[in-house]
Amino acid sequence: MANGGIEGELVATEHEDWRRFLRKALTNRSFLAGAVITLFVVAVALVSVVWTPYDVTKLVIADRLQGLSSTHLLGTDHFGRDILSMIMVGSRNSIAVALIAVGIGIAVGVPLGTYAAAKRGVVDEVLMRASDIVFAFPALLSAVMITAIFGPGAVNAIIAIGIFNIPVFARVARGGALALWPREFILAARASGKRAGLITVQHIVPNIANLLLVQGTIQFSLGILAEAGLSYVGLGTQPPAPSWGRMLFEAQTMMTIAPHMAIVPGFAIIITVLGLNLLGDGLRDVLDPRLRRQR
């Protein structure tokens, strides 16, 4: 009976936490705007898996450089491809690259950061100096080096962006963990005989999840930008797979006769990054009121 009562109290507490989170989220304009934009982009990407208005790999020279019309809502490019269809498929590719790259950063960076915080001393210093070395090589430069060895492609872009994300999440996890280790509940766990690894898994990581979630949305938006930049210089997603960055590169010689070729993918990048940044800003305010900015 006692165990059942404790479990019931825990469930009730979790429900109350969710209700509190929803109340704050629904009154936060940044969160709502970011969530709507992000969900829309994700929905477009999911729809593109099963349907697009036209085949993005089919070249129809007779329809090249058409403007906005009922047939092609966002016009066509210099090969006669439907730009709306390319934007839809491009969103899928951009999201996939950014999401996997963020996953790599979390999967490698968080264990490294929490391990450094638990060990301190020489281990902490070595890991942090190693992260400084990685920071010295931006994602674009890392992609150039990786491409020189393995060749261009989406996989190498994911690796390059993911490597750059590792020290970011390592530092966030380390900072959050260092703030928790002196806390009373952590000291109590250590006094009960729990090892540092178990304490990290059971107490540290759950309590820094909010920080990681906010940082994840920020790195997601940076991943979208990085993927577009790498594709623009020919190091990211390769033809015939559409990419927003590649579309911008192909549009630069057509600006005077078909400006929509550049405007549409540029707007897609801007609105996606804006939505993710607003979502991250809103999550920060909702999950940690102490960081709420004075507006």
Side-chain angles (χ1 to χ4, degrees), residues 92-107 154-155 157-159 161-163 165 169 220 223:
R92 183 177 72 207
N93 294 334
S94 295
I95 289 174
V97 169
L99 186 61
I100 297 174
V102 169
I104 292 173
I106 293 175
V155 174
I158 290 172
I159 294 172
I161 301 171
I163 290 174
N165 281 334
F169 284 101
F220 197 0

Side-chain angles (χ1 to χ4, degrees), residues 17 39 49 64 78 115 134 199 223 226 232 234 270 275:
D17 289 341
L39 288 175
V49 176
R64 64 190 302 267
H78 54 308
Y115 182 74
V134 176
I199 293 174
Y232 183 86
I270 291 171

Side-chain angles (χ1 to χ4, degrees), residues 12-255:
T13 301
E14 291 178 357
H15 288 170
E16 180 60 31
D17 289 341
W18 272 109
R19 285 195 292 267
R20 188 181 301 111
F21 171 81
L22 288 176
R23 284 197 300 269
K24 292 180 178 179
L26 293 176
T27 57
N28 188 285
R29 289 176 293 181
S30 293
F31 178 86
L32 289 176
V36 169
I37 295 172
T38 302
L39 288 175
F40 174 76
V41 174
V42 171
V44 169
L46 292 176
V47 169
S48 72
V49 176
V50 295
W51 176 84
T52 55
Y54 294 88
D55 184 356
V56 296
T57 62
K58 186 177 181 180
L59 309 183
V60 186
I61 303 302
D63 293 339
R64 64 190 302 267
L65 300 178
Q66 287 189 11
L68 283 63
S69 66
S70 58
T71 305
H72 299 281
L73 295 180
L74 298 179
T76 61
D77 68 358
H78 54 308
F79 290 124
R81 295 172 296 185
D82 181 64
I83 291 180
L84 174 59
S85 300
M86 295 180 67
I87 288 292
M88 293 175 67
V89 178
S91 67
R92 183 177 72 207
N93 294 334
S94 295
I95 289 174
V97 169
L99 186 61
I100 297 174
V102 169
I104 292 173
I106 293 175
V108 180
V110 172
L112 288 177
T114 52
Y115 182 74
K119 291 295 184 181
R120 302 297 298 275
V122 176
V123 173
D124 184 22
E125 189 69 20
V126 169
L127 289 175
M128 289 304 100
R129 297 297 74 78
S131 69
D132 290 339
I133 294 174
V134 176
F135 271 130
F137 295 90
L140 184 58
L141 182 57
S142 301
V144 172
M145 294 188 295
I146 292 173
T147 302
I149 301 173
F150 300 106
V155 174
N156 293 333
I158 290 172
I159 294 172
I161 301 171
I163 290 174
F164 187 75
N165 281 334
I166 290 173
V168 174
F169 284 101
R171 285 184 174 277
V172 171
R174 174 182 175 272
L178 286 176
L180 290 174
W181 275 105
R183 299 284 296 274
E184 290 79 2
F185 69 98
I186 299 296
L187 295 176
R190 296 179 66 180
S192 67
K194 288 185 178 181
R195 292 181 175 274
L198 185 59
I199 293 174
T200 298
V201 172
Q202 291 185 342
H203 303 289
I204 300 294
V205 173
N207 280 283
I208 64 173
N210 293 349
L211 294 174
L212 298 175
L213 179 60
V214 173
Q215 189 64 44
T217 60
I218 295 172
Q219 295 306 122
F220 197 0
S221 67
L222 294 177
I224 296 289
L225 280 176
E227 191 280 332
L230 294 174
S231 296
Y232 183 86
V233 298
L235 302 179
T237 305
Q238 297 297 297
S243 168
W244 292 344
R246 186 75 185 179
M247 293 173 69
L248 283 174
F249 172 78
E250 294 175 348
Q252 63 183 349
T253 58
M254 303 288 176
M255 285 294 295

